[in-house]
Amino acid sequence: MVRYCNKHEHENTCILAPCSCPLLDCNFVGSAWQLYSHFKLRHPASGNTFLLGKPFSISLEKSQRSIILREGDGNIIFILNHFNERHGSAINIVGIAPLGSGTRFSYDLTVKDGDTSIRLQSSVESIRKWVDCAPAKKFLLVPCYYTSNCGQLKLDVCIRAEQSCSRSSGNNMKFLFTRAD
């Protein structure tokens, strides 16, 4: 039994909290596990499948707002958000799951241009409903000149599961700017 004064915290952290399908034309709502099953069965051609801890590459079109990422062995859906800013592209990754889902995830985003690269290492923010809008908190800002002549931005991505742990602030963020000589 949940006390009324703890109702809001319970609703945000309960593993059975409702999560929404990230496709804008789909109204499905269910637990994170049900959402993953729904997405795999009803939208098998939507999203890119990947394996945790294994780096993979993605190309974004300049006008492309998001890419759905479906973890192949697990039960979580991630969204790679992309928003064009005046000085470049703002990119981050969120996971569709309640805050108390147990496993925390982190990710690396790397963009290369010849001998220069920009990299963000961050923890994945958990959300229950994805909204098509600019990344609000943690994001990688990629300058315009990293976009190819045909309007594509190539990213190297790696999403990892961290150990199960109690909730923390998750303000774990690193920026690495490197230049190979």
Side-chain angles (χ1 to χ4, degrees):
M1 176 179 256
V2 177
R3 294 175 49 147
Y4 183 76
C5 62
N6 297 334
K7 179 180 180 255
H8 182 69
E9 180 180 349
H10 175 77
E11 288 172 348
N12 285 328
T13 60
C14 179
I15 62 169
L16 300 175
C19 297
S20 299
C21 184
L23 294 178
L24 299 176
D25 60 348
C26 182
N27 295 323
F28 178 85
V29 177
S31 70
W33 183 84
Q34 291 170 326
L35 173 61
Y36 185 83
S37 296
H38 158 81
F39 197 84
K40 192 173 181 178
L41 293 172
R42 300 284 184 200
H43 312 293
S46 298
N48 296 4
T49 303
F50 73 97
L51 295 174
L52 288 175
K54 303 284 184 191
F56 59 99
S57 295
I58 287 184
S59 291
L60 281 167
E61 299 292 330
K62 186 173 182 172
S63 62
Q64 192 172 4
R65 298 291 301 251
S66 64
I67 295 178
I68 297 172
L69 305 171
R70 189 176 73 223
E71 203 282 305
D73 290 336
N75 60 358
I76 189 162
I77 295 171
F78 297 91
I79 309 290
L80 186 140
N81 292 305
H82 174 231
F83 187 74
N84 287 311
E85 296 282 342
R86 187 172 137 188
H87 298 290
S89 295
I91 303 166
N92 77 344
I93 295 177
V94 296
I96 299 182
L99 293 173
S101 58
T103 305
R104 296 187 52 82
F105 298 92
S106 62
Y107 66 93
D108 294 355
L109 291 176
T110 306
V111 180
K112 296 177 185 170
D113 178 29
D115 60 352
T116 305
S117 66
I118 301 174
R119 181 172 163 193
L120 169 67
Q121 294 177 319
S122 185
S123 56
V124 173
E125 177 187 359
S126 292
I127 59 171
R128 294 185 304 161
K129 181 175 180 155
W130 178 76
V131 179
D132 183 20
C133 62
K137 294 182 180 178
K138 308 170 209 174
F139 58 88
L140 177 64
L141 183 60
V142 180
C144 297
Y145 59 83
Y146 277 84
T147 304
S148 71
N149 292 338
C150 58
Q152 286 192 335
L153 181 63
K154 184 178 178 194
L155 295 165
D156 293 328
V157 180
C158 186
I159 302 174
R160 290 176 299 285
E162 298 177 357
Q163 301 170 28
S164 293
C165 59
S166 60
R167 283 186 305 143
S168 65
S169 63
N171 292 330
N172 206 10
M173 214 159 110
K174 293 181 191 172
F175 295 95
L176 300 172
F177 299 91
T178 59
R179 181 172 179 98
D181 292 319

